[in-house]
């Protein structure tokens, strides 16, 4: 058993109502971390919080907020501090995804995508790092995406920006006992995005959604199974732990061996 050593610490997970964010919140709560989950829709946050409390017995705070609003982000962090006394771990994960190639998207689509993801992550990082500095301890984990390596649409540029922002924060905060790392979560089979991806591919290629879904189900990566949200969440938990104190400014892809790219 890994001794994560983070029981009693406080985490914020943005986009914690669904998919990968919810799985990260569950993993952190399972280790005794007090978790605040944030997203826009309160009803979905409450459902996720009830599930996490039931499964882990942990403390879960629901704070609705829109990551495109600096005022909302400031208010959200203030509520977490009022409830739990500080913030030790930040998992930036909230995002929307405009499906389209570079030119199929409008300039407003591009800007909206950056505003929620890259700039949303930036807003939360700026709000929490002074709290972490006070305790000379902190963990920032930014969920990016492998489009950073492959390019395409607005996701490649958005996720690349996040990787570079992560490195920049890691460099400035290392002296304060704060690490900042990024995770590419692969394409988990159990998120709401999966059927959307099939619809998008169908529109792009003219093939049926059923045919594309069947192909995805047959396309098993080298480890013998597709990943699910709990897989990147395990890595996020490790990066949030005491054990990961020497890892900062890095990016880790969780892709079940599906990527043949060599990054060094
Ligand atoms: N799933 C994949 O295949 C995949 C692949 C690569 C990278 N990723 C990345 O992994 C992360 C999570 O993906 P996912 O598939 O789990 O996402 P998801 O199921 O679409 O969930 C997105 C979460 O973000 C919240 N959110 C969206 N816009 C927001 C806003 N403006 N303010 C606050 N919260 C907002 C959503 O709740 P509300 O809508 O209620 O606000 C929800 O909780 C994202 O950063 C995504 O880009 C995912």
């Amino acid at each position: 058993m890994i001794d994560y050593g983070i029981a009693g610490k406080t985490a914020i997970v943005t986009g914690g109502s669904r998919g990968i964010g919810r799985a990260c919140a569950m993993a952190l709560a399972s280790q005794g971390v007090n978790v605040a989950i944030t997203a826009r829709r309160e009803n979905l946050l409450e459902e996720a919080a009830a599930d996490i409390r039931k499964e882990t017995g942990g403390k879960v705070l629901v704070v609705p907020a829109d990551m495109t609003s600096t005022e909302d982000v400031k208010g959200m962090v203030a509520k977490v501090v009022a409830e739990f006394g500080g913030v030790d771990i930040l998992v930036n994960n909230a995002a929307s995804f405009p499906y389209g190639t570079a030119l199929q998207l409008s300039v407003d689509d591009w800007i909206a995508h950056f505003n929620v993801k890259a700039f949303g992550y930036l807003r939360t990082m700026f709000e929490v790092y002074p709290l972490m500095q006070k305790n000379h301890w902190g963990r920032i984990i930014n969920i990016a995406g492998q489009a950073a390596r492959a390019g395409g649409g607005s996701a490649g540029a958005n996720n690349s920006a996040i990787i570079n922002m992560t490195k920049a924060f890691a460099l400035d905060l290392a002296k304060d006992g704060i690490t900042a790392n990024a995770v590419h979560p692969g394409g988990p089979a159990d998120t709401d995005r999966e059927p959307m991806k099939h619809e998008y591919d169908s529109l792009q290629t003219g093939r049926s959604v059923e045919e594309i879904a069947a192909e995805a189900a047959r396309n098993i990566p080298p480890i013998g199974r597709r990943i699910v949200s709990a897989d990147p969440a395990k890595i996020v938990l490790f990066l949030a732990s005491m054990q990961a104190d020497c890892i900062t400014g890095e990016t880790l892809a969780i892709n079940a061996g599906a990527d043949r790219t060599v990054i060094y």
Side-chain angles (χ1 to χ4, degrees):
M1 276 287 276
I2 300 176
D3 176 12
Y4 292 101
I6 49 176
K9 293 207 178 285
T10 294
I12 293 175
V13 181
T14 75
S17 60
R18 295 203 308 253
I20 295 162
R22 184 183 177 284
C24 292
M26 185 75 85
L28 289 161
S30 76
Q31 297 304 314
V33 174
N34 301 323
V35 182
I37 53 174
T38 185
R40 290 165 302 180
R41 282 170 289 177
E42 190 167 5
N43 59 330
L44 296 185
L45 284 168
E46 290 293 358
E47 280 173 28
D51 286 350
I52 297 166
R53 287 185 198 113
K54 194 170 160 204
E55 197 148 316
T56 67
K59 287 187 198 159
V60 187
L61 178 69
V62 162
V63 191
D66 186 336
M67 295 300 106
T68 65
S69 156
T70 303
E71 200 186 333
D72 267 26
V73 169
K74 283 178 184 288
M76 179 274 291
V77 173
K79 281 182 190 153
V80 177
V81 172
E83 180 71 18
F84 292 136
V87 179
D88 307 295
I89 299 162
L90 170 66
V91 181
N92 267 322
N93 164 84
S96 54
F97 190 77
Y99 281 98
T101 64
L103 303 185
Q104 286 168 344
L105 300 176
S106 68
V107 71
D108 287 342
D109 291 334
W110 274 78
I111 290 169
H113 192 206
F114 270 70
N115 197 23
V116 62
K117 196 163 180 181
F119 294 139
Y121 288 19
L122 195 65
R123 287 183 184 95
T124 51
M125 287 196 290
F126 264 105
E127 210 50 37
V128 303
Y129 87 78
L131 300 167
M132 295 174 172
Q133 277 177 322
K134 270 191 208 158
N135 297 330
H136 201 77
W137 197 92
R139 298 282 188 266
I140 296 170
I141 299 130
N142 291 327
I143 306 297
Q146 263 186 240
R149 295 181 180 175
S154 56
N158 203 343
N159 288 317
S160 297
I162 286 163
I163 300 306
N164 274 277
M165 280 179 354
T166 306
K167 181 64 108 180
F169 273 70
L171 290 171
D172 275 11
L173 294 172
K175 65 181 185 324
D176 297 313
I178 301 166
T179 67
N181 291 289
V183 166
H184 293 323
D190 60 344
T191 66
D192 293 346
R193 198 175 285 192
E194 181 73 3
M196 284 165 61
K197 276 192 278 196
H198 298 158
E199 274 172 40
Y200 170 70
D201 288 347
S202 170
L203 282 174
Q204 294 289 327
T205 61
R207 295 161 66 208
S208 73
V209 171
E210 293 73 24
E211 193 186 338
I212 288 164
E215 188 177 87
R218 280 195 306 273
N219 196 7
I220 302 298
I223 68 161
R225 67 170 177 88
R226 288 194 62 190
I227 65 159
V228 290
S229 297
D231 292 309
K234 284 187 286 198
I235 305 305
V236 167
L237 175 60
F238 176 73
L239 290 172
S241 76
M242 292 292 181
Q243 307 294 342
D245 57 345
C246 295
I247 307 173
T248 193
E250 291 300 322
T251 302
L252 198 57
I254 292 83
N255 56 27
D259 182 9
R260 294 185 65 90
T261 318
V262 177
I263 309 273
Y264 57 92

